[in-house]
């Protein structure tokens, strides 16, 4: 299309919206101009929500939105609004929920929603619609005509529908605080995960299969709750992590994880790579290595971190959002191999190893090509080839390097280069936690650079967070996830290196979280701030979705911050959030892993260790405090840190190093020897 025909999306910063800027559809971004036009002309709104790495979003775009005949119908009958769900998760949450109510089935992307222009309430919803009828779905143009006709001719029915839907949306948030949560909720989640655990392939449930990172994190947490541990929980978590790492969910050549597996055995993924998945999985693999010493977990954690630092890091700090599932118009093409190509790239000894290890001697597993996974364990292959394990590792590493170099010459998947505050916060925590557990200071340094970038670039003139950054500009008011995830990440980073100024900023974020997001009547936190644009519902995210639930992360971070500085406002807000979540925790406990992590810490507070001393003398004390598998929050504060807030002011510096150890409201006398610190009771 000629550039003069570019639509209104051409002025947007979102890479996803830019993908649609040349469509013949007269797209509007969500905003007052589109809403006013629809109301004025009494035209229903066609709201299309997707994201840049979404395969089926691309399919619908190519079939329908790039087709002049389909676009002509859309432009005649509707005001068309395109939304990037990653920039506007508030709209996505509201209209995904409405779709589930109306269609009585789960949503997804692309989400296609038709709205009453006078109140933005949806009256018909769907996801992907094909250009020609197939998959038991009507063709899109027929849908367009029938929806427009229904809007014009069924005004009374539309009015009754709007009233009913508005009532349902309002009723969803009427539940008030329940009884205080108790340990039986943790036990119920543990039992539910046990019943859904796939003992053959790891993970939970069947295809399509998602990592369910919050539940894996909960299981790892449960193994540390007391000295006896929970061997069953550890087995479920580590077996799942191992099977994912050896399957096609993990990029065996370039590192990093894809979004999810379309089969139950982790073999064939949906090929987009998202920053947030890799952020959470990075720290889980580092923790699993710390718990088990299993070399696979360390290798996968390091490969994931290196992929992030190599391919997803922006020059001035922060991390890009995603790599597309498609390249050259085909899903997964960048990652797939022909056997002859692999044989030509490797020497015979390398090929013999790779063929057996990655299953190239098996039937092609994706459209006549191979997506690599571990078919046979490397020790087994090495034994069959008469190699010692060390030589096999070296040979495999050399082969991977050659395959990676060859893959780099292919047409790469599209990069979504916007930087989202919430997703960056998850990666900051992932890198900081992995760096701390694996002893990789460069990961901590990268986390620190990204944190400084957000402090510098993702705030407005009033000190409020902004949600997205692209092209030198931060925009859009931040959501609960931005505040909660960044508060959580900052506390992790403070355990790696102390900055009193960073603590001050985190306290400011926590105060904003309470003042602008808390539901003062029922407890918990709304997804949008009190000054946010009014929508048909003010969502409150309790369940884990593709991201851990903001309420769960906020509760955990506030508990830890309240413990650190002795501020009861924070811990009390966390407790109110947990009480507000009790009804949903009772109904479906294992759908709320992030909230259950916060609940576990509320029921069983972690030990808090504050170290004071000379910067050059704190290192050995820090190592001593972290020794073993204890659930400890350890902060090493140098004597020259300046004035400290709250209870930290009482953790005074002395001539030598000193440790202050507290659990809940109980504190030991100051500890002045490392031996005593190591011997201190749990």
């Amino acid at each position: 299309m000629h550039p003069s025909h570019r639509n209104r999306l051409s002025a947007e910063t979102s890479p996803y919206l830019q993908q649609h800027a040349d469509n013949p559809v007269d797209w509007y971004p969500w905003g007052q101009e589109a809403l006013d036009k629809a109301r004025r002309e009494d035209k229903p709104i066609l709201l299309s929500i997707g994201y840049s790495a979404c395969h089926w979003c691309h399919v619908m775009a190519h079939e329908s939105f790039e087709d002049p005949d389909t676009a002509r119908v859309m432009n005649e009958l509707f005001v068309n609004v395109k939304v990037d769900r990653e920039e506007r998760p508030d709209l996505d949450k509201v209209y995904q929920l409405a779709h589930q109510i109306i269609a009585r089935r789960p949503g997804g992307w692309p989400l296609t929603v038709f709205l009453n222009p006078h109140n933005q309430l949806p009256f018909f919803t769907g996801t992907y619609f094909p250009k020609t009828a197939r998959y038991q779905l009507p063709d899109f143009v027929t849908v367009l005509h029938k929806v427009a006709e229904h809007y014009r001719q069924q005004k009374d029915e539309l009015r009754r529908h709007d009233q009913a839907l508005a009532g349902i949306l309002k009723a969803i948030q009427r539940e008030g605080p329940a009884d205080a949560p108790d340990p039986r909720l943790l036990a119920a989640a543990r039992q539910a995960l046990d019943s859904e655990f796939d003992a053959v392939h790891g993970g939970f449930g069947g295809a399509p299969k998602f990592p369910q990172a919050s539940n894996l994190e909960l299981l790892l947490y449960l193994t540390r709750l007391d000295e006896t541990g929970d061997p069953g929980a550890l087995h479920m978590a580590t077996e799942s992590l191992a099977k994912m790492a050896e399957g096609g969910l993990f990029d065996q050549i370039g590192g990093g994880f894809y979004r999810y597996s379309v089969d139950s055995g982790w073999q064939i993924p949906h090929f987009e790579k998202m920053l947030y998945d890799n952020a959470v999985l990075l720290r889980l693999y580092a923790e699993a290595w710390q718990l088990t010493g299993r070399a696979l977990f360390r290798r996968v954690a390091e490969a994931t971190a290196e992929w992030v630092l190599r391919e997803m890091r922006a020059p001035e700090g922060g991390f890009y959002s995603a790599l597309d599932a498609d390249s050259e118009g085909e899903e997964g093409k960048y990652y797939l191999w022909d056997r002859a190509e692999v044989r030509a790239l490797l020497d015979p000894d390398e090929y013999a190893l790779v063929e057996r290890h990655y299953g190239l001697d098996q039937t092609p597993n994706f459209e006549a090509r191979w997506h690599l996974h571990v078919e046979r364990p490397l020790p087994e292959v090495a034994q069959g080839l008469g190699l010692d394990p060390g030589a096999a590792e070296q040979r495999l590493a050399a082969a991977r390097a050659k395959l990676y170099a060859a893959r780099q010459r292919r047409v790469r998947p599209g990069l979504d280069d916007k930087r989202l505050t919430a997703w960056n916060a998850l990666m900051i925590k992932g890198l900081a936690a992995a760096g701390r557990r694996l002893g990789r200071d460069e990961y901590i340094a990268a986390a620190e650079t990204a944190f400084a970038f957000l402090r510098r670039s993702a705030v407005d003139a009033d000190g409020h967070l902004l949600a997205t950054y692209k092209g030198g500009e931060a925009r859009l008011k931040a959501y609960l996830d931005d505040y909660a995830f960044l508060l959580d990440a900052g506390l992790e980073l403070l355990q790696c290196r102390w900055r009193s100024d960073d603590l001050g900023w985190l306290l400011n974020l926590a105060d904003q979280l309470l003042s602008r997001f808390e539901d003062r009547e029922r407890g918990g936190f709304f997804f949008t701030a009190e000054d946010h644009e009014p929508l048909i519902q003010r969502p409150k995210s309790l369940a884990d979705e593709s991201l851990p639930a903001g309420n769960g992360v906020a509760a955990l971070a506030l508990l830890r911050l309240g413990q650190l500085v002795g501020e009861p406002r924070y811990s009390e807000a966390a407790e109110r959030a947990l009480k507000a979540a009790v009804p949903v925790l009772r109904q479906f406990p294992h759908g709320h892993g992030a909230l259950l992590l916060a609940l576990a810490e509320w029921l069983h507070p972690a030990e808090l260790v504050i170290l004071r001393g000379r910067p050059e003398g704190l290192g050995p004390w820090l190592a001593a405090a972290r020794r073993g598998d204890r659930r400890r929050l350890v902060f090493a504060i140098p004597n020259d840190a300046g004035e400290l807030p709250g209870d930290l002011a009482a953790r005074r510096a002395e001539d030598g190093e000193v440790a202050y150890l507290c659990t809940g409201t109980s504190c030991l006398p100051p500890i002045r020897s490392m031996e005593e610190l190591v011997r201190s009771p749990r």
Side-chain angles (χ1 to χ4, degrees):
M1 177 171 288
H2 191 276
S4 63
H5 294 148
R6 285 169 65 84
N7 58 48
R8 291 167 182 81
L9 300 184
S10 61
E12 294 296 304
T13 60
S14 160
Y16 175 64
L17 298 187
Q18 284 290 332
Q19 288 175 0
H20 295 271
D22 289 328
N23 292 170
V25 178
D26 188 16
W27 289 116
Y28 287 77
W30 180 274
Q32 207 57 51
E33 182 183 6
L35 300 180
D36 288 346
K37 175 181 172 65
R39 189 181 304 109
R40 185 172 61 250
E41 298 179 5
D42 193 30
K43 277 187 176 181
I45 296 168
L46 192 167
L47 174 64
S48 176
I49 302 178
Y51 60 101
S52 67
C54 166
H55 171 69
W56 286 103
C57 300
H58 298 330
V59 173
M60 191 167 178
H62 296 325
E63 290 180 345
S64 296
F65 303 151
E66 295 172 6
D67 176 58
D69 293 333
T70 305
R72 192 176 303 113
V73 176
M74 293 172 66
N75 295 338
E76 177 186 347
L77 299 179
F78 302 96
V79 173
N80 302 290
V81 175
K82 178 58 83 170
V83 163
D84 181 344
R85 68 106 173 173
E86 295 169 355
E87 284 196 340
R88 293 300 304 263
D90 54 332
L91 292 168
D92 186 52
K93 285 180 183 294
V94 166
Y95 289 110
Q96 291 283 358
L97 175 61
H99 167 76
Q100 292 174 37
I101 295 168
I102 294 170
R104 298 184 181 180
R105 60 178 180 269
W109 301 280
L111 183 66
T112 307
V113 190
F114 297 90
L115 311 182
N116 184 329
H118 302 290
N119 54 25
Q120 288 85 61
L121 286 165
F123 61 93
F124 183 77
T125 66
T127 51
Y128 162 78
F129 289 103
K131 184 179 179 181
T132 57
R134 63 183 187 278
Y135 310 130
Q136 298 183 314
L137 293 169
D139 68 271
F140 189 46
V141 169
T142 296
V143 170
L144 295 173
H145 283 296
K146 288 188 174 181
V147 168
E149 180 182 0
H150 179 84
Y151 178 76
R152 289 192 305 269
Q153 297 182 4
Q154 303 293 331
K155 296 292 189 182
D156 289 342
E157 182 181 335
L158 184 67
R159 192 160 31 250
R160 290 192 295 271
H161 168 87
D162 285 352
Q163 291 172 349
L165 179 60
I168 293 170
L169 291 172
K170 188 177 294 185
I172 286 172
Q173 293 187 336
R174 280 184 187 147
E175 284 193 274
D179 296 333
D182 63 61
R184 286 174 293 182
L185 294 169
L186 289 174
R190 170 68 175 77
Q191 183 177 3
L193 290 172
D194 191 59
S195 68
E196 293 192 8
F197 176 64
D198 182 342
V200 176
H201 302 297
F204 306 95
K209 205 169 204 176
F210 291 81
Q212 297 192 30
S214 290
N215 282 331
L216 294 176
E217 187 173 8
L218 175 64
L219 289 171
L220 290 178
Y221 192 97
L222 292 176
T223 69
R224 298 177 186 249
L225 270 185
D226 56 48
E227 292 182 357
T228 62
D230 185 338
L234 182 62
H235 171 74
M236 284 191 283
T238 55
E239 187 68 9
S240 299
L241 291 168
K243 295 294 188 183
M244 287 157 49
E246 293 172 340
L249 188 75
F250 180 67
D251 182 352
Q252 302 293 335
I253 300 304
F257 287 86
Y258 306 104
R259 179 72 192 94
Y260 64 89
S261 175
V262 300
D263 61 283
S264 62
W266 304 113
Q267 297 304 299
I268 303 300
H270 202 42
F271 283 92
E272 70 261 38
K273 285 185 179 179
M274 313 302 293
L275 185 71
Y276 55 81
D277 290 316
N278 286 280
V280 180
L281 290 170
L282 168 59
R283 71 172 187 261
L284 290 185
Y285 278 91
E287 183 177 358
W289 174 78
Q290 187 182 51
L291 283 168
T292 67
R294 189 170 174 181
L296 170 68
F297 296 147
R298 183 179 185 109
R299 180 179 68 78
V300 169
E302 290 179 337
T304 302
E306 286 157 15
W307 168 74
V308 169
L309 299 181
R310 183 178 65 241
E311 299 192 26
M312 303 301 285
R313 180 163 51 169
E316 71 274 36
F319 299 95
Y320 302 132
S321 295
L323 289 178
D324 207 325
D326 298 5
S327 57
E328 299 182 84
E330 294 183 30
E331 183 183 10
K333 183 175 182 179
Y334 182 75
Y335 302 102
L336 301 175
W337 296 93
D338 294 316
R339 185 159 52 196
E341 179 189 10
V342 177
R343 184 183 282 115
L345 288 166
L346 305 179
D347 68 38
D349 288 340
E350 290 168 343
Y351 181 76
L353 182 74
V354 164
E355 180 187 49
R356 292 165 176 79
H357 185 53
Y358 288 138
L360 288 167
D361 56 350
Q362 305 294 305
T363 304
N365 59 6
F366 191 87
E367 298 180 357
R369 287 173 286 181
W370 280 264
H371 176 56
L372 303 185
H373 66 279
V374 176
E375 178 68 24
R376 300 177 187 88
L378 190 59
E380 176 186 318
V381 175
Q383 184 178 20
L385 294 173
L387 291 172
D388 67 71
E393 287 280 3
Q394 291 178 356
R395 190 173 292 181
L396 182 62
R400 276 200 303 256
K402 290 180 181 179
L403 294 176
Y404 179 77
R407 201 175 75 178
Q408 286 288 88
R409 296 192 288 271
R410 299 175 179 176
V411 177
R412 292 175 58 79
L415 171 69
D416 188 322
D417 62 350
K418 68 179 180 294
R419 277 163 274 178
L420 296 168
T421 298
W423 297 13
N424 269 261
L426 288 174
M427 185 53 73
I428 290 166
K429 181 175 182 179
L431 285 166
R436 176 167 60 82
R437 290 187 167 112
L438 303 178
R440 299 294 297 263
D441 290 343
E442 68 271 33
Y443 299 171
I444 297 170
E448 191 169 8
T449 300
F451 189 79
F453 167 77
L454 293 181
R455 281 201 64 179
R456 181 176 68 249
S457 303
V459 292
D460 65 15
D462 297 322
H464 297 159
L465 285 179
L466 297 170
T468 184
Y469 181 94
K470 175 78 167 65
E473 175 191 3
R475 56 192 293 269
L476 300 177
K477 293 180 177 180
Y479 310 101
L480 170 63
D481 289 357
D482 300 297
Y483 280 87
F485 296 175
L486 192 50
L487 186 59
D488 189 40
L491 288 169
E492 181 65 50
L493 196 53
L494 283 177
Q495 292 188 76
C496 299
R497 90 293 178 272
W498 184 265
R499 300 282 188 277
S500 295
D501 185 53
D502 284 351
L503 176 62
W505 192 53
L506 295 178
L507 292 171
N508 177 263
L509 292 182
D511 290 341
Q512 289 190 46
L513 185 62
L514 267 58
S515 65
R516 303 178 63 227
F517 290 86
E518 189 177 15
D519 182 344
R520 299 177 186 87
E521 181 180 351
R522 298 179 181 88
F525 301 94
F526 292 111
F527 189 72
T528 53
E530 59 185 3
D531 59 348
H532 193 81
E533 167 195 1
L535 302 175
I536 61 172
Q537 187 203 40
R538 192 179 178 193
K540 187 190 288 186
S541 52
L542 298 174
D544 301 319
E545 297 170 351
S546 54
L547 302 177
N551 267 273
V553 177
L556 182 62
L558 288 169
L559 283 172
R560 291 179 171 178
L561 186 64
Q563 187 180 8
L564 176 64
V565 299
E567 175 51 75
R569 290 187 301 118
Y570 302 148
S571 52
E572 289 166 2
E575 183 177 341
R576 289 193 294 272
L578 292 172
K579 288 181 177 179
V582 164
V584 297
L585 291 177
R586 285 176 175 160
Q587 292 169 11
F588 187 42
H590 56 307
H592 300 82
L595 275 163
L596 289 170
L597 280 166
L599 171 60
E601 188 132 327
W602 181 71
L603 292 166
H604 310 280
E607 293 178 342
L608 173 66
V609 179
I610 305 297
L611 304 175
R612 301 300 309 271
R614 300 158 298 145
E616 64 274 16
L618 283 172
W621 281 74
L622 194 56
R626 290 175 176 167
R627 196 172 300 164
D629 292 336
R630 290 179 168 183
R631 292 186 306 109
R632 272 185 170 174
L633 306 173
V634 184
F635 299 89
I637 306 177
N639 288 346
D640 59 1
E643 187 175 346
L644 297 172
D647 283 0
L648 286 177
R651 316 304 182 205
R652 295 184 178 86
E654 299 187 356
D655 290 338
E657 282 66 48
V658 61
Y660 300 90
L661 192 155
C662 299
T663 304
T665 58
S666 174
C667 296
L668 297 178
I671 298 170
R672 295 182 175 86
S673 77
M674 280 192 287
E675 293 77 11
E676 185 182 354
L677 177 60
V678 171
R679 292 196 308 269
S680 57
R682 277 182 94 103

